[in-house]
Amino acid sequence: MEKTIHELNLSDDFLFAKVMADSEICRRVLEKILTVPIQKVEAPTTQRTIDLLFEGKGVRLDVYVNDDEGTVYNIEMQCNKKRNLPKRTRYYAGSIDLDLIAAGEDYINLKKAYVIFICTFDPFRDGRHIYTFENRCRENLSLSLGDESIKIFLNTRGTLDDVDAEMKEFLAYAEDTTDRFAAQAKSPLIRQIHRKVTEVKQNPKMEVEYMTLMQRDRENIELGREEGREEGFQEGRQVGVKMALDIIRLHMDGKEAQTIADLLGLEADYVNQVLEDYANLPG
């Protein structure tokens, strides 16, 4: 069932984009994530689309912003356990770099760029609230490549004591964006964000925009079903068969159902059903 605008959490794309469009909130959130001072940010661009090639795969960025040093930040909410999330950050980072070049920048002048994914799940199952990646020499980990391309994954479900209390509160608020949570929050940042959240949710124009987007999404989904029903059925059948074979192969290699689900980005119930059907095959 679709949510109303009043039921949205910060982890929902629409609300996240509207809140982060506030330059001061965006600046303070980036400061909190990176633990470095940021003097100012340009007016953030939300839902920005980068189409690099006529036949290429474009990307739509939740929040795209530059600071006073020219550093580029792309901030995304990730609520679904999509496969190949690390490669998604690689593609986003590459698309941003090529977009800067297309805008007239020589590659030698590319500024530092961050791709930041805020996940409502643990993408690496290590219990951390934050995972930061940059390119380093495998033979000497103290040697950085210096390409200034950084990927950060935030995890709202972290369990380790690896960030401060304010960051933990911000990540918890992303999934519980309620008046109750905001009222007991100790962080001034949460209170500032919640004032913006309340403003968005109580704005009739925002509600109309949200409802219009939901209706358009429903229409696009239905149109896609009609146009691609037969083709999609055949393709889906092929994908389903391949997925089942992958599950069975990993099972025969001694992997448990939960491990298979994690490796393939599937629900454990689906994996168990495939294995049960396989066990019941005649012969």
Side-chain angles (χ1 to χ4, degrees), residues 234-262:
Q234 295 298 334
E235 182 179 345
R237 184 175 181 180
Q238 292 173 4
V239 171
V241 170
K242 182 180 183 303
M243 189 66 71
L245 291 174
D246 287 343
I247 291 170
I248 294 167
R249 174 179 56 79
L250 289 170
H251 174 67
M252 295 180 69
D253 286 343
K255 299 288 193 302
E256 298 292 334
Q258 185 60 59
T259 301
I260 295 172
D262 293 338

Short mmCIF file of all heavy atoms in Angstrom, two decimals, residues 234-262:
data_model
loop_
_atom_site.label_atom_id
_atom_site.label_comp_id
_atom_site.label_asym_id
_atom_site.label_seq_id
_atom_site.Cartn_x
_atom_site.Cartn_y
_atom_site.Cartn_z
N GLN A 234 8.70 -13.85 -21.11
CA GLN A 234 9.75 -14.74 -21.59
C GLN A 234 11.08 -14.42 -20.91
O GLN A 234 11.81 -15.32 -20.49
CB GLN A 234 9.89 -14.60 -23.11
CG GLN A 234 8.66 -15.06 -23.89
CD GLN A 234 8.37 -16.55 -23.68
OE1 GLN A 234 9.26 -17.34 -23.39
NE2 GLN A 234 7.10 -16.91 -23.84
N GLU A 235 11.38 -13.12 -20.83
CA GLU A 235 12.64 -12.73 -20.19
C GLU A 235 12.64 -13.11 -18.72
O GLU A 235 13.63 -13.62 -18.18
CB GLU A 235 12.84 -11.22 -20.35
CG GLU A 235 14.15 -10.73 -19.77
CD GLU A 235 14.33 -9.24 -19.96
OE1 GLU A 235 13.61 -8.65 -20.77
OE2 GLU A 235 15.23 -8.67 -19.30
N GLY A 236 11.50 -12.86 -18.06
CA GLY A 236 11.40 -13.19 -16.64
C GLY A 236 11.53 -14.69 -16.40
O GLY A 236 12.13 -15.12 -15.41
N ARG A 237 10.96 -15.46 -17.33
CA ARG A 237 11.05 -16.91 -17.19
C ARG A 237 12.50 -17.36 -17.29
O ARG A 237 12.96 -18.20 -16.51
CB ARG A 237 10.21 -17.57 -18.28
CG ARG A 237 10.15 -19.09 -18.18
CD ARG A 237 9.21 -19.65 -19.22
NE ARG A 237 9.11 -21.08 -19.13
CZ ARG A 237 8.36 -21.83 -19.92
NH1 ARG A 237 7.64 -21.25 -20.86
NH2 ARG A 237 8.32 -23.13 -19.78
N GLN A 238 13.25 -16.78 -18.25
CA GLN A 238 14.65 -17.13 -18.42
C GLN A 238 15.47 -16.73 -17.19
O GLN A 238 16.31 -17.50 -16.71
CB GLN A 238 15.21 -16.44 -19.66
CG GLN A 238 14.64 -16.97 -20.97
CD GLN A 238 15.09 -16.15 -22.17
OE1 GLN A 238 15.90 -15.24 -22.03
NE2 GLN A 238 14.57 -16.48 -23.33
N VAL A 239 15.20 -15.53 -16.67
CA VAL A 239 15.90 -15.08 -15.48
C VAL A 239 15.59 -15.98 -14.29
O VAL A 239 16.47 -16.35 -13.51
CB VAL A 239 15.54 -13.62 -15.15
CG1 VAL A 239 16.10 -13.20 -13.79
CG2 VAL A 239 16.07 -12.70 -16.23
N GLY A 240 14.30 -16.37 -14.18
CA GLY A 240 13.90 -17.23 -13.07
C GLY A 240 14.57 -18.58 -13.11
O GLY A 240 15.01 -19.11 -12.08
N VAL A 241 14.67 -19.15 -14.30
CA VAL A 241 15.33 -20.45 -14.45
C VAL A 241 16.81 -20.33 -14.07
O VAL A 241 17.36 -21.18 -13.35
CB VAL A 241 15.18 -20.98 -15.90
CG1 VAL A 241 16.07 -22.19 -16.12
CG2 VAL A 241 13.72 -21.34 -16.17
N LYS A 242 17.46 -19.29 -14.56
CA LYS A 242 18.89 -19.09 -14.26
C LYS A 242 19.09 -18.90 -12.77
O LYS A 242 20.03 -19.45 -12.18
CB LYS A 242 19.43 -17.88 -15.02
CG LYS A 242 20.91 -17.64 -14.78
CD LYS A 242 21.41 -16.43 -15.54
CE LYS A 242 22.92 -16.24 -15.34
NZ LYS A 242 23.29 -16.11 -13.92
N MET A 243 18.20 -18.13 -12.14
CA MET A 243 18.33 -17.89 -10.71
C MET A 243 18.17 -19.19 -9.93
O MET A 243 18.92 -19.45 -8.98
CB MET A 243 17.28 -16.87 -10.26
CG MET A 243 17.48 -16.38 -8.82
SD MET A 243 19.00 -15.42 -8.64
CE MET A 243 18.55 -13.95 -9.54
N ALA A 244 17.20 -20.00 -10.33
CA ALA A 244 16.99 -21.28 -9.66
C ALA A 244 18.20 -22.18 -9.79
O ALA A 244 18.61 -22.85 -8.84
CB ALA A 244 15.75 -21.96 -10.22
N LEU A 245 18.81 -22.20 -10.98
CA LEU A 245 20.01 -23.02 -11.20
C LEU A 245 21.17 -22.52 -10.34
O LEU A 245 21.95 -23.32 -9.80
CB LEU A 245 20.40 -23.00 -12.68
CG LEU A 245 19.44 -23.73 -13.63
CD1 LEU A 245 19.86 -23.50 -15.08
CD2 LEU A 245 19.41 -25.23 -13.31
N ASP A 246 21.29 -21.18 -10.20
CA ASP A 246 22.34 -20.63 -9.34
C ASP A 246 22.13 -21.04 -7.89
O ASP A 246 23.09 -21.38 -7.17
CB ASP A 246 22.35 -19.10 -9.44
CG ASP A 246 22.93 -18.60 -10.76
OD1 ASP A 246 23.60 -19.39 -11.45
OD2 ASP A 246 22.70 -17.43 -11.11
N ILE A 247 20.87 -21.01 -7.44
CA ILE A 247 20.56 -21.41 -6.06
C ILE A 247 20.93 -22.87 -5.84
O ILE A 247 21.58 -23.22 -4.83
CB ILE A 247 19.07 -21.17 -5.77
CG1 ILE A 247 18.77 -19.67 -5.73
CG2 ILE A 247 18.65 -21.83 -4.45
CD1 ILE A 247 17.29 -19.33 -5.68
N ILE A 248 20.53 -23.72 -6.77
CA ILE A 248 20.81 -25.16 -6.64
C ILE A 248 22.31 -25.43 -6.67
O ILE A 248 22.83 -26.24 -5.90
CB ILE A 248 20.08 -25.94 -7.75
CG1 ILE A 248 18.56 -25.82 -7.54
CG2 ILE A 248 20.51 -27.40 -7.78
CD1 ILE A 248 17.74 -26.29 -8.72
N ARG A 249 23.02 -24.73 -7.57
CA ARG A 249 24.48 -24.94 -7.66
C ARG A 249 25.16 -24.57 -6.34
O ARG A 249 26.01 -25.31 -5.84
CB ARG A 249 25.04 -24.07 -8.78
CG ARG A 249 26.57 -24.08 -8.87
CD ARG A 249 27.06 -23.23 -10.02
NE ARG A 249 26.59 -21.87 -9.95
CZ ARG A 249 27.12 -20.95 -9.15
NH1 ARG A 249 28.13 -21.27 -8.34
NH2 ARG A 249 26.65 -19.71 -9.14
N LEU A 250 24.77 -23.43 -5.75
CA LEU A 250 25.38 -23.02 -4.49
C LEU A 250 25.00 -23.97 -3.36
O LEU A 250 25.81 -24.25 -2.47
CB LEU A 250 24.93 -21.59 -4.15
CG LEU A 250 25.52 -20.49 -5.05
CD1 LEU A 250 24.82 -19.16 -4.80
CD2 LEU A 250 27.01 -20.35 -4.81
N HIS A 251 23.77 -24.48 -3.41
CA HIS A 251 23.32 -25.45 -2.40
C HIS A 251 24.15 -26.73 -2.49
O HIS A 251 24.56 -27.29 -1.46
CB HIS A 251 21.84 -25.76 -2.62
CG HIS A 251 21.31 -26.84 -1.72
ND1 HIS A 251 21.21 -26.69 -0.36
CD2 HIS A 251 20.87 -28.10 -2.02
CE1 HIS A 251 20.71 -27.81 0.16
NE2 HIS A 251 20.50 -28.67 -0.82
N MET A 252 24.41 -27.17 -3.70
CA MET A 252 25.22 -28.39 -3.89
C MET A 252 26.68 -28.15 -3.51
O MET A 252 27.41 -29.11 -3.21
CB MET A 252 25.11 -28.85 -5.34
CG MET A 252 23.70 -29.29 -5.73
SD MET A 252 23.56 -29.85 -7.44
CE MET A 252 24.49 -31.38 -7.37
N ASP A 253 27.09 -26.89 -3.49
CA ASP A 253 28.45 -26.56 -3.02
C ASP A 253 28.53 -26.48 -1.51
O ASP A 253 29.59 -26.16 -0.95
CB ASP A 253 28.90 -25.22 -3.62
CG ASP A 253 29.25 -25.33 -5.09
OD1 ASP A 253 29.46 -26.47 -5.56
OD2 ASP A 253 29.31 -24.29 -5.77
N GLY A 254 27.39 -26.72 -0.84
CA GLY A 254 27.39 -26.76 0.62
C GLY A 254 26.95 -25.48 1.29
O GLY A 254 27.04 -25.36 2.52
N LYS A 255 26.44 -24.51 0.53
CA LYS A 255 26.01 -23.24 1.10
C LYS A 255 24.63 -23.37 1.74
O LYS A 255 23.74 -24.04 1.20
CB LYS A 255 25.96 -22.15 0.02
CG LYS A 255 27.31 -21.87 -0.66
CD LYS A 255 28.26 -21.15 0.25
CE LYS A 255 29.46 -20.58 -0.50
NZ LYS A 255 30.23 -21.61 -1.22
N GLU A 256 24.44 -22.71 2.88
CA GLU A 256 23.14 -22.67 3.55
C GLU A 256 22.22 -21.68 2.84
O GLU A 256 22.68 -20.79 2.10
CB GLU A 256 23.31 -22.25 5.02
CG GLU A 256 24.14 -23.20 5.85
CD GLU A 256 23.45 -24.55 6.05
OE1 GLU A 256 22.20 -24.57 5.99
OE2 GLU A 256 24.15 -25.55 6.25
N ALA A 257 20.91 -21.82 3.07
CA ALA A 257 19.92 -21.00 2.37
C ALA A 257 20.14 -19.50 2.62
O ALA A 257 20.08 -18.69 1.70
CB ALA A 257 18.51 -21.40 2.79
N GLN A 258 20.41 -19.12 3.88
CA GLN A 258 20.61 -17.70 4.18
C GLN A 258 21.84 -17.15 3.49
O GLN A 258 21.85 -16.02 2.99
CB GLN A 258 20.73 -17.50 5.69
CG GLN A 258 20.81 -16.03 6.10
CD GLN A 258 19.58 -15.23 5.68
OE1 GLN A 258 18.48 -15.54 6.07
NE2 GLN A 258 19.78 -14.18 4.87
N THR A 259 22.90 -17.97 3.43
CA THR A 259 24.13 -17.55 2.75
C THR A 259 23.87 -17.35 1.26
O THR A 259 24.33 -16.38 0.65
CB THR A 259 25.24 -18.59 2.95
OG1 THR A 259 25.48 -18.76 4.35
CG2 THR A 259 26.53 -18.16 2.27
N ILE A 260 23.10 -18.29 0.66
CA ILE A 260 22.75 -18.17 -0.76
C ILE A 260 21.95 -16.90 -1.01
O ILE A 260 22.19 -16.17 -1.97
CB ILE A 260 21.96 -19.41 -1.22
CG1 ILE A 260 22.83 -20.67 -1.13
CG2 ILE A 260 21.44 -19.22 -2.64
CD1 ILE A 260 22.07 -21.95 -1.38
N ALA A 261 20.99 -16.63 -0.13
CA ALA A 261 20.16 -15.42 -0.26
C ALA A 261 21.02 -14.17 -0.23
O ALA A 261 20.84 -13.24 -1.03
CB ALA A 261 19.10 -15.38 0.84
N ASP A 262 21.98 -14.13 0.69
CA ASP A 262 22.86 -12.96 0.80
C ASP A 262 23.74 -12.81 -0.44
O ASP A 262 23.95 -11.69 -0.94
CB ASP A 262 23.75 -13.08 2.05
CG ASP A 262 22.94 -13.00 3.34
OD1 ASP A 262 21.83 -12.46 3.29
OD2 ASP A 262 23.42 -13.49 4.37
#
